[in-house]
Amino acid sequence: MLRLPELDFLSPSTIEEALQMLADDPSGTRVLAGGTDLVPNLKRRHQHARRLVSLGRLASLRGVSGDPAHGLRVGAMTTLRSILKNEVLEQHWPGLIAAVRSISSPVLQSMGTIGGNLCLDTRCTYYNQTEEWRSAIGYCMKEAGDTCWVAPSSSRCWAIAASDAAPLLCAIGARVRLASTRGERELAVEALLCDDGIAYLSKAPDEVLTDVLLPPAGTWKATYWKLRRRGSIDFPVLGVGTALRVGKNGVVEDVRIFLGAVASAPVRALAAESILQGHILDETTLVSAGKAAQEVATALDNTDFTMTWRRQMIPHYVAGTLRELADLPRVGLLGADGLEC
Amino acid sequence: MSRMRTDTFTVNGERREVAYPAHHTLLEVLREELALTGTKHGCDLGECGTCTVLVNGEPILACLAMAADMAGKSIETVEGLATGPVLHPLQRCFADMGAAQCGYCTPGMLMSAKALLAENAAPSEDEVRSALAGNLCRCTGYQQIVEAVRAAGSELKTQGCGAKGAASHG
Amino acid sequence: MAEVKKPGALIGTPFRRVDAVGKVTGRTLYADDLVFPRSVHMRLLRSNVPHAEIVSIDVSAARALEGVVGVLTGRDMPEPFGILPVSQDEHALCLDKVRFVGDPVAAVAALSEEVADAACKLIKVEYRALATIAGYDDAIDPDKDLIHAYGDDRNFHKKLSMRFGDLDAGFARADLVLEDTVFFEGNTHLPMEMHACTAVPEGDGRVAVHSSTQTPHYLHKALTKVLGIPASWIRVIATTNGGGFGGKTDPFNHEITAAKMALALGRPVRIALSREEVFMCHRGRHPTLMRIKTGFKKDGSIVAQHLKTLLDGGAYGSYGVASTYYTGALQCVTYKIPTYQFDGARVWTNKPPCGPKRGHGTPQPRFAQEIHLDKAALRLGLDPAEMRLQQLQPAGAVTANWLKIGSMGLGPCINAVVEGSRWKERRGKLGFGRGLGIACSSYLSGAGLPIYWNHMPHSGVQLKLDRSGGVAVFCGETECGQGSDSVLAACVADVLGIELSDIRLCVADTDLTPVDLGSYSSRVTLMMGNAALQAAERAKELISGPVAQELGVPAGRLVFADRRVFDSENPACGRSFAEAVVIAESKLGTLGTTGSYTPPRAPGRFRGAGVGPSPAYSYSACIVEVVVDPGTGLVHVPDVWIAHDVGRALNPVLTRGQVEGGIYMGLGEALMEESAFRRLPKKLSNALVHKFPNMLEYKSPTFLEMPRIHTTIVEDPDPNGPYGAKEVGQGPMLPVMPAVANAIFDAVGVRVDQVPIQPWMILKALAEKERGGAGRFGPAEFPAVDYGAALHVPTPEEGGDGKARNADEVGIKGGTMTETRKEIR
Ligand SMILES: Cc1cc2nc3c(=O)[nH]c(=O)nc-3n(C[C@H](O)[C@H](O)[C@H](O)COP(=O)(O)OP(=O)(O)OC[C@H]3O[C@@H](n4cnc5c(N)ncnc54)[C@H](O)[C@@H]3O)c2cc1C
Ligand code: SF4
Ligand code: FES
Ligand code: FES
């Protein structure tokens, strides 16, 4: 059986206790939430820990609270399953529900948390492998080595940001609260996630993500489309989180589009946004926006499917989110008849 | 050697005090410390669903759950489904309707299905498929599993709930 | 033709499988569930280089680790083994060479699995690298290092060529000749249960091996050879397999090493492989490149076919010689093909060995043949379903390559799926993006010859009856989910008129049960079923005599039913079954019977004739509906219609389960499953690794990918089958892959001549079509392979006698029966 390395398990009963435990040994301690990312990574020995600090007993980090008109707060330890069952969220940010519903599988959703989802390690098929496998090709840059096997001439790691919630949360301008013994701070989800396969979080190792803060929905509408091989279990090979505000005259007042799984962090499709901004959302405009979105993606050969095809899919998926938000009819069969979206 | 912990686990309604290595998952504690080998494993990485058990009524993967996190919670495994010799309707329908071939995915399927029926006793075919989509089966093609889950659902409903059924021949 | 046996009260009903309750309660013990007192845990250190000589192995640090109790290396087991007598090319632990990443080089037993793991990491192996043979190109390159010191030609493990009938004359008669190059990617079984075993030493140098194997008998043979102790000292018990699909039909390194370790340590040794190690064991589908050329008449009839195959075999022989033959063996049992040439070759590469996966060697050429027929129908302006119907082999025919067909229910199968899918109204009329495709297939109900040459039965069953009224049934068969335990119990209970609960099974134990060759080649229902019927009929006879005497009625009038034995003319006159046994036991002493089965001799008398013959062939027809998104190339399958001629459905629920499971695996192969490999840029490294040896990236369809499956069971009883039954475990998956490809063509007008069919392939083909091209994605060329001179075998139609005409010229002695050493099946 593939097993975890020996380690100490700590289960603080207050957040203060947890923060102190992390401060005691920040480099050797990891936060354990649902464990659905951390446990496989530790089992395969590409992440390491001497101690795990479980947040399982911290009830204060669980649940959805706040006033929708002023913004909701989702505790970091709220499971994906309870998010899916939350009626307030469903009513105000159905796009978040769509993103969360697309994560992994039902049984993983009852373990995985929203905080863990935002702090997911970046992924790469050269990296998410056992120790034996990695030794057979030689460790890459994300570990002990100095070459990136995906792009050997590159000086950086291109591992993929695989969170499904992140692109959507970026698009709606959500923020997170981080806490450590040094105090609390708040920053945009966009600023939490860095486009670097190795240093993919701006969070310090001793910081705990305590809350995800959603802005009031107001007239925003948002949705998330995901491309993956199977209808369940699989990580995204492309995710599109789109948030849109359309004026009474049908003109796009505001739009934010983030692509997931095509870089080491969700990337903002600014060129696409500027095509839409101030225009009526018709078929022609959204198709050219979809095409423009392609430019920011650096799809490489380190996940399922070919990189060329994944890039080709971007216009279809970006346009798909826009049509859905603009209540325009679907084009092609995408999203219908069981085809993935 | 390994750092050991001692915790009390409630498995299938029975309270058990267990000494186990701190780094072990629920899967290891169930199979190795408690000899509850009914819970299977097919990947140890959360990718197949074979190790599904219920914790406080929700399906989780035993291979990813730290045992220490599960202390004090109510854990249900396939061994707890039947009432003495009387099979749970899900078990009976699986047995009679071809839903278990090699049987290796079966314990996990049964637990995921139990969680579904607890919320929705009359799931549509699509609802069954969605709820069980994290559980892989290589033998059946799933159709007979879907049929068995739905049949068990309607049986549970007409019984009013509870887990009484015909005697097993096991 | 022999009379087909009529079912009693049980056969043909949807009875609950005998292993069901154990499986739904978690009581069934699989190999990894077994725990023996004083067990130690073993792990294997596997090679992390693809191809190298072993210079040295230093195990001292591993031995010194606290908790380690034993270490073995290749020197401890120098005797080679392999499933086929002609391919004894594996070592329990590599001796002086490693041939793929994953090849085991050392074993450590320790007090815990974790210590064994840690100790493996302390073993230092020094390798001297050899060139990496990654695929066909490297293997064909005459300058590359050799993977093995034996084989037909450098890195060609096997080459063969056979011609049946006057092929040139056949092609000369053709109105249309089509040629295609087709590729079928490798894939793997992925049973949910990972291989595991425990070896338990028993007094006086004996050992018992409990293992998740589909072939305890062959494992027993390999253990005997490598351990060098008498066969009778070794006991193999196959535990219930948590799925096999052919992946557990070879003897494996870990099984042999565990037995050796247990004997060395005098205590039980257990090993459970990780999922990645299961990918290393592999023995899955051979990646196969094919060149197919077929001549058609205007009416769609086939006049000639020439098929060339090239298999990428991976690092060892495994079943590979048989697999190579199988890529050509069954081409003629479906449609009339009067002249036929088959050239096959298998190369070695530094990858996990390929072997028999569900359909063993036949899905690849079936894919080529069925998409080929579809193209021909289009060119000839024929309906693909109608065209197939017109070309069916008749029941009882002997094919051009000398296979004897029994019952043949493909016609009704085609009609069933045509009607079910409303093919005639809907094909070609569903609009751009939606389509229907058809394909058919046939499969063996057990190979006509055993893996090693002998004249003994292929399956044996023994019954023990006593005053309890219970019947103990002993048989070497192995349950791996297909339902063989249930077939065994049901056949006996049905004949004796008792209940399944009266039967106690003892199976898959080489010490206690008569030999059954194993759960492979869809042989169990037919062969074991026949053996069971014979044993049960004999038991009936045994009981009938004394009971008839006691009742004063002629023995021939006795009926066994409802747990009673009674006079058919006066049902009240009778005894309970248990009383009947008491009467017989009183009269005759202890009661027991045996039954056995040996397949009929096949008519072919040429080298290679051993692969393909079967007592009966199953037939399937399949129509797949697809939705293809032309913008993205994504494919969705909403419905599949399948009809399968199973001869007789012994249990309709279990039969349907096998059919649906076959469709599942077929769709996986058609659309997503592949055993792909990673090669780094050559200047950086010679590494060659499985691209994704895990269940997340190796894509096995979930509940959500599965279509509605509309199954029709066709029953055309075969005189050789028990109650007329034929196989169902493998056949129904075979037509799925080509039917998907044909449906995609119907939907969007492009051809993908390879599987798995990926969305980007469809887009490329669509783009090519838009540019005015053919609208095809697939391999462009077939490499130049010298298959050697063909063996010429006149066909039955030409008045042949089953022998080759030029056996001497091509350097091979004709006649399957005389070639005891080299003949393979
Ligand atoms: C088979 C499989 C499929 C999956 N598919 C998907 C998918 O499709 N989409 C997707 O988005 N994810 C997927 N996941 C990943 C994962 O299940 C989810 O992202 C989940 O939400 C992660 O949450 P967790 O609580 O389990 O995280 P954990 O594993 O507990 O933690 C993940 C990381 O975040 C850190 N962390 C967690 N919580 C905090 C906190 N509050 N403060 C600071 N650090 C923290 C941990 O230290 C760790 O490094 C998949 C996982 C598996 C095994
Ligand atoms: S992108 Fe390159 S450096 Fe990063 S994990 Fe993959 S191979 Fe390693
Ligand atoms: S063993 Fe596969 S999900 Fe746990
Ligand atoms: S019954 Fe074998 S894996 Fe599901």
Side-chain angles (χ1 to χ4, degrees):
Chain A
M1 188 188 291
L2 194 57
R3 296 174 202 263
L4 285 166
E6 284 181 19
L7 41 76
D8 271 339
F9 180 92
L10 308 175
S11 47
S13 42
T14 64
I15 181 78
E16 292 74 22
E17 218 185 314
L19 298 180
Q20 191 54 53
M21 287 168 173
L22 282 163
D24 290 346
D25 175 14
S27 65
T29 310
R30 281 182 189 272
V31 172
L32 175 74
T36 58
D37 182 49
L38 186 57
V39 171
N41 291 352
L42 292 171
K43 281 189 174 182
R44 298 210 267 206
R45 312 293 195 263
H46 45 68
Q47 285 186 329
H48 304 272
R50 283 186 292 270
R51 313 193 303 170
L52 295 184
V53 172
S54 165
L55 305 183
R57 290 167 65 190
L58 307 184
S60 63
L61 297 190
R62 252 178 272 130
V64 179
S65 56
D67 168 8
H70 296 97
L72 292 164
R73 163 215 167 257
V74 185
M77 285 296 287
T78 311
T79 63
L80 306 176
R81 184 180 163 98
S82 40
I83 289 178
L84 292 177
K85 289 183 168 171
N86 188 289
E87 282 165 15
V88 183
L89 284 177
E90 170 82 60
Q91 197 189 333
H92 293 272
W93 283 116
L96 177 62
I97 300 292
V100 169
R101 183 168 290 123
S102 79
I103 294 173
S104 62
S105 69
V107 58
L108 279 158
Q109 286 165 359
S110 47
M111 304 181 79
T113 64
I114 188 71
N117 186 267
L118 283 177
C119 298
L120 267 193
D121 193 3
T122 52
R123 299 184 66 84
C124 169
T125 43
Y126 286 88
Y127 171 72
N128 296 96
Q129 301 280 2
T130 63
E131 174 107 62
E132 288 76 14
W133 192 98
R134 291 176 348 259
S135 84
I137 59 159
Y139 297 100
C140 73
M141 191 191 288
K142 190 157 155 73
E143 285 184 90
D146 44 29
T147 310
C148 165
W149 295 126
V150 179
S153 56
S154 156
S155 59
R156 61 163 281 193
C157 162
W158 295 92
I160 290 171
S163 160
D164 281 305
L168 188 282
L169 289 173
C170 288
I172 67 172
R175 301 173 66 77
V176 290
R177 193 175 293 139
L178 302 174
S180 69
T181 48
R182 288 166 286 126
E184 272 189 14
R185 60 182 179 130
E186 234 187 76
L187 74 172
V189 171
E190 214 180 323
L192 172 72
L193 306 171
C194 314
D195 189 10
D196 179 327
I198 296 169
Y200 52 89
L201 287 180
S202 62
K203 178 184 90 62
D206 67 339
E207 281 182 307
V208 168
L209 197 164
T210 53
D211 308 286
V212 179
L213 307 168
L214 309 179
T219 53
W220 282 96
K221 284 168 81 181
T223 191
Y224 180 73
W225 279 38
K226 171 175 181 175
L227 172 63
R228 59 172 159 182
R229 179 78 67 158
R230 300 175 290 183
S232 184
I233 305 176
D234 289 341
F235 281 94
V237 296
L238 169 66
V240 180
T242 301
L244 184 71
R245 221 154 50 82
V246 178
K248 290 227 163 60
N249 48 5
V251 166
V252 175
E253 286 178 351
D254 239 325
V255 58
R256 289 164 62 88
I257 302 173
F258 281 78
L259 308 183
V262 289
S264 301
V267 287
R268 188 162 178 189
L270 283 168
E273 291 176 8
S274 63
I275 289 176
L276 299 165
Q277 199 79 45
H279 287 84
I280 301 268
L281 198 54
D282 57 17
E283 191 57 31
T284 332
T285 322
L286 63 85
V287 165
S288 46
K291 289 210 179 94
Q294 238 173 342
E295 272 153 44
V296 289
T298 38
L300 291 170
D301 180 24
N302 57 355
T303 181
D304 193 15
F305 296 114
T306 63
M307 52 185 187
T308 323
W309 183 77
R310 278 164 53 220
R311 254 182 83 82
Q312 281 179 315
M313 292 305 103
I314 293 170
H316 295 278
Y317 279 74
V318 169
T321 59
L322 292 167
R323 285 191 198 103
E324 181 194 320
L325 294 176
D327 286 325
L328 290 169
R330 286 179 190 280
V331 166
L333 300 161
L334 205 60
D337 275 309
L339 280 172
E340 263 307 296
C341 73
Chain B
M1 288 288 294
S2 330
R3 278 150 284 200
M4 301 292 284
R5 288 177 63 103
T6 304
D7 283 304
T8 302
F9 295 91
T10 307
V11 186
N12 300 325
E14 298 169 2
R15 279 168 56 86
R16 305 276 293 266
E17 189 167 283
V18 187
Y20 64 100
H23 64 285
H24 275 193
T25 58
L26 180 61
L27 179 68
E28 286 152 296
V29 167
L30 289 174
R31 289 181 53 86
E32 295 171 358
E33 262 79 32
L34 294 172
L36 291 169
T37 54
T39 301
K40 307 300 180 202
H41 60 129
C43 72
D44 303 321
L45 290 168
E47 300 167 353
C48 73
T50 311
C51 64
T52 305
V53 299
L54 302 186
V55 171
N56 295 343
E58 291 193 355
I60 61 121
L61 299 172
C63 72
L64 298 187
M66 294 302 295
D69 256 341
M70 299 296 132
K73 297 185 177 167
S74 159
I75 300 158
E76 263 181 276
T77 69
V78 69
E79 287 94 342
L81 271 181
T83 311
V86 181
L87 295 181
H88 185 277
L90 270 167
Q91 291 175 304
R92 204 173 49 255
C93 293
F94 267 56
D96 286 333
M97 299 174 70
Q101 286 187 20
C102 83
Y104 207 76
C105 69
T106 307
M109 288 287 176
L110 286 167
M111 301 322 285
S112 276
K114 188 178 182 205
L116 167 67
L117 294 184
E119 283 184 354
N120 178 358
S124 68
E125 194 175 321
D126 285 348
E127 285 168 335
V128 176
R129 288 182 181 272
S130 301
L132 270 56
N135 294 74
L136 294 176
C137 170
R138 286 293 280 178
C139 297
T140 60
Y142 304 114
Q143 198 148 306
Q144 290 178 323
I145 296 178
V146 174
E147 290 164 12
V149 172
R150 298 189 67 202
S154 38
E155 214 170 286
L156 278 168
K157 234 168 96 178
T158 50
Q159 282 171 16
C161 85
K164 299 286 167 275
S168 114
H169 298 294
Chain C
M1 275 198 182
E3 184 84 2
V4 172
K5 186 172 175 59
K6 298 245 164 6
L10 197 57
I11 290 296
T13 67
F15 56 86
R16 175 186 283 182
R17 28 185 320 152
V18 296
D19 51 356
V21 172
K23 286 174 174 174
V24 299
T25 53
R27 278 210 288 271
T28 300
L29 294 176
Y30 298 82
D32 189 33
D33 301 336
L34 298 176
V35 181
F36 292 85
R38 281 194 81 231
S39 288
V40 290
H41 303 261
M42 190 174 83
R43 296 288 299 151
L44 300 178
L45 172 71
R46 293 175 183 268
S47 166
N48 62 0
V49 295
H51 194 194
E53 283 163 8
I54 299 174
V55 178
S56 65
I57 304 180
D58 178 0
V59 300
S60 52
R63 251 187 231 291
L65 187 70
E66 191 185 334
V68 170
V69 297
V71 179
L72 294 175
T73 64
R75 301 266 160 257
D76 298 304
M77 294 168 284
E79 183 66 24
F81 69 96
I83 182 71
L84 299 187
V86 290
S87 309
Q88 299 290 302
D89 58 6
E90 296 183 57
H91 287 93
L93 298 168
C94 293
L95 260 188
D96 39 34
K97 231 187 132 170
V98 293
R99 295 179 171 89
F100 67 98
V101 170
D103 221 356
V105 288
V108 177
L111 298 181
S112 77
E113 201 178 26
E114 289 162 296
V115 172
D117 239 338
C120 281
K121 298 205 169 86
L122 297 175
I123 296 175
K124 291 188 195 69
V125 189
E126 194 189 327
Y127 294 110
R128 186 180 304 119
L130 296 167
T132 303
I133 313 294
Y136 300 119
D137 293 348
D138 292 337
I140 291 172
D141 185 344
D143 299 327
K144 284 277 160 71
D145 292 324
L146 297 187
I147 295 180
H148 285 282
Y150 85 108
D152 277 357
D153 177 14
R154 297 195 55 86
N155 278 320
F156 277 94
H157 171 205
K158 181 72 196 166
K159 280 181 178 180
L160 62 95
S161 175
M162 12 199 210
R163 173 180 289 202
F164 303 93
D166 190 342
L167 194 78
D168 296 337
F171 276 117
R173 282 194 292 139
D175 299 318
L176 169 72
V177 176
L178 286 184
E179 257 188 284
D180 269 307
T181 308
V182 178
F183 180 60
F184 201 109
E185 180 58 287
N187 52 54
T188 203
H189 322 80
L190 206 80
M192 294 303 289
E193 179 208 23
M194 304 175 279
H195 308 41
C197 82
T198 302
V200 186
E202 298 179 335
D204 302 335
R206 292 162 166 261
V207 63
V209 178
H210 303 255
S211 187
S212 47
T213 174
Q214 297 176 249
T215 50
H217 175 63
Y218 294 135
L219 173 58
H220 187 231
K221 281 184 69 76
L223 284 165
T224 307
K225 186 163 186 252
V226 180
L227 299 178
I229 59 176
S232 60
W233 292 12
I234 302 167
R235 176 181 183 188
V236 177
I237 300 166
T239 48
T240 290
N241 281 229
F245 315 111
K248 297 170 180 167
T249 51
D250 282 58
F252 284 105
N253 315 65
H254 65 275
E255 298 170 312
I256 297 171
T257 307
K260 181 75 183 180
M261 188 75 89
L263 285 170
L265 299 179
R267 63 196 295 184
V269 173
R270 81 192 305 273
I271 177 164
L273 300 191
S274 68
R275 178 53 66 183
E276 180 161 320
E277 288 179 289
V278 174
F279 276 92
M280 303 293 106
C281 290
H282 191 45
R283 320 288 157 154
R285 182 89 63 232
H286 284 76
T288 304
L289 192 59
M290 292 162 283
R291 181 84 183 151
I292 185 168
K293 177 180 168 190
T294 313
F296 297 89
K297 300 292 284 178
K298 280 205 184 74
D299 63 359
S301 58
I302 299 168
V303 286
Q305 184 169 89
H306 185 175
L307 173 71
K308 293 184 197 178
T309 66
L310 181 57
L311 290 76
D312 179 344
Y316 290 100
S318 181
Y319 284 78
V321 171
S323 318
T324 310
Y325 275 107
Y326 271 126
T327 59
L330 298 190
Q331 288 300 85
C332 306
V333 294
T334 317
Y335 313 109
K336 285 177 274 191
I337 302 182
T339 64
Y340 174 55
Q341 177 160 343
F342 166 49
D343 303 330
R346 179 181 196 254
V347 293
W348 273 309
T349 54
N350 295 121
K351 296 184 284 201
C354 299
K357 183 188 170 193
R358 204 173 201 167
H360 193 191
T362 71
Q364 301 98 322
R366 174 60 57 184
F367 178 71
Q369 174 154 303
E370 296 292 324
I371 58 178
H372 210 59
L373 286 183
D374 216 56
K375 294 179 187 187
L378 183 79
R379 291 278 295 273
L380 297 168
L382 301 170
D383 175 309
E386 198 52 43
M387 171 175 151
R388 283 172 170 83
L389 267 178
Q390 297 309 319
Q391 310 310 327
L392 301 184
Q393 284 282 17
V398 178
T399 67
N401 63 336
W402 292 92
L403 302 181
K404 171 98 173 68
I405 296 169
S407 79
M408 206 286 186
L410 184 52
C413 289
I414 294 178
N415 291 332
V417 294
V418 162
E419 274 165 36
S421 65
R422 296 191 292 122
W423 168 264
K424 295 213 166 97
E425 302 106 90
R426 298 175 66 232
R427 182 184 68 99
K429 296 174 196 124
L430 295 172
F432 190 69
R434 191 179 267 268
L436 291 173
I438 189 169
C440 303
S441 71
S442 8
Y443 200 67
L444 318 163
S445 307
L449 291 180
I451 278 169
Y452 64 100
W453 189 249
N454 72 80
H455 291 282
M456 292 175 280
H458 291 216
S459 189
V461 171
Q462 219 169 339
L463 303 187
K464 188 214 84 177
L465 304 92
D466 71 21
R467 56 202 82 177
S468 70
V471 177
V473 181
F474 300 82
C475 176
E477 64 85 10
T478 306
E479 174 66 56
C480 46
Q482 85 282 42
S484 55
D485 281 2
S486 303
V487 168
L488 178 62
C491 285
V492 174
D494 190 72
V495 170
L496 296 178
I498 55 180
E499 304 273 315
L500 286 173
S501 54
D502 299 326
I503 306 267
R504 157 69 62 186
L505 292 184
C506 172
V507 298
D509 180 331
T510 58
D511 261 10
L512 303 184
T513 62
V515 170
D516 174 277
L517 293 179
S519 290
Y520 66 96
S521 98
S522 275
R523 49 174 299 289
V524 181
T525 291
L526 187 137
M527 302 203 188
M528 174 202 73
N530 279 324
L533 291 187
Q534 189 180 55
E537 289 294 348
R538 285 176 177 168
K540 204 167 151 180
E541 231 176 271
L542 209 58
I543 298 168
S544 291
V547 173
Q549 211 175 10
E550 169 106 1
L551 298 177
V553 298
R557 261 184 23 208
L558 290 184
V559 173
F560 286 63
D562 303 328
R563 277 180 162 155
R564 289 182 71 234
V565 181
F566 55 89
D567 180 3
S568 60
E569 292 182 6
N570 176 15
C573 169
R575 295 285 184 274
S576 74
F577 181 78
E579 289 163 353
V581 174
V582 169
I583 293 166
E585 195 179 339
S586 313
K587 195 95 178 181
L588 305 170
T590 299
L591 301 176
T593 62
T594 62
S596 57
Y597 181 77
T598 311
R601 197 175 162 198
R605 294 287 171 276
F606 53 91
R607 185 179 189 222
V611 181
S614 175
Y617 297 91
S618 75
Y619 289 91
S620 338
C622 178
I623 288 178
V624 170
E625 181 160 345
V626 295
V627 180
V628 183
D629 179 45
T632 59
L634 290 168
V635 175
H636 168 63
V637 179
D639 288 277
V640 170
W641 293 266
I642 175 91
H644 180 75
D645 168 22
V646 69
R648 165 89 66 198
L650 301 182
N651 176 323
V653 172
L654 303 194
T655 304
R656 206 189 102 206
Q658 289 297 305
V659 174
E660 289 172 359
I663 302 293
Y664 170 80
M665 209 165 269
L667 286 172
E669 294 197 13
L671 295 169
M672 53 184 82
E673 293 184 36
E674 60 176 329
S675 295
F677 286 80
R678 272 256 194 251
R679 183 96 220 250
L680 292 176
K682 283 184 194 158
K683 57 180 191 303
L684 292 176
S685 153
N686 59 1
L688 177 65
V689 289
H690 195 294
K691 206 167 169 184
F692 27 62
N694 56 65
M695 295 182 89
L696 178 61
E697 297 298 336
Y698 183 91
K699 304 296 183 186
S700 180
T702 74
F703 272 92
L704 301 172
E705 280 68 51
M706 284 307 287
R708 287 176 291 268
I709 304 173
H710 313 270
T711 304
T712 307
I713 304 294
V714 170
E715 297 182 284
D716 188 346
D718 193 287
N720 284 335
Y723 302 97
K726 309 193 281 192
E727 78 88 39
V728 62
Q730 312 194 59
M733 88 163 274
L734 302 178
V736 177
M737 295 74 87
V740 168
N742 292 341
I744 287 172
F745 177 76
D746 190 44
V748 289
V750 296
R751 289 275 170 199
V752 178
D753 289 344
Q754 73 178 61
V755 290
I757 299 172
Q758 309 263 19
W760 53 272
M761 297 175 181
I762 296 176
L763 285 195
K764 282 203 164 159
L766 282 167
E768 194 201 47
K769 192 170 181 188
E770 202 149 289
R771 291 193 304 267
R776 168 186 185 267
F777 186 96
E781 13 184 301
F782 192 86
V785 177
D786 174 12
Y787 288 93
L791 199 64
H792 284 263
V793 185
T795 64
E797 214 172 49
E798 291 170 347
D801 57 1
K803 293 193 182 125
R805 235 179 19 217
N806 60 340
D808 292 332
E809 283 159 54
V810 297
I812 314 160
K813 298 276 170 292
T816 305
M817 307 300 281
T818 56
E819 281 197 298
T820 58
R821 290 289 305 154
K822 285 224 92 178
E823 188 54 48
I824 312 302
R825 69 126 313 285

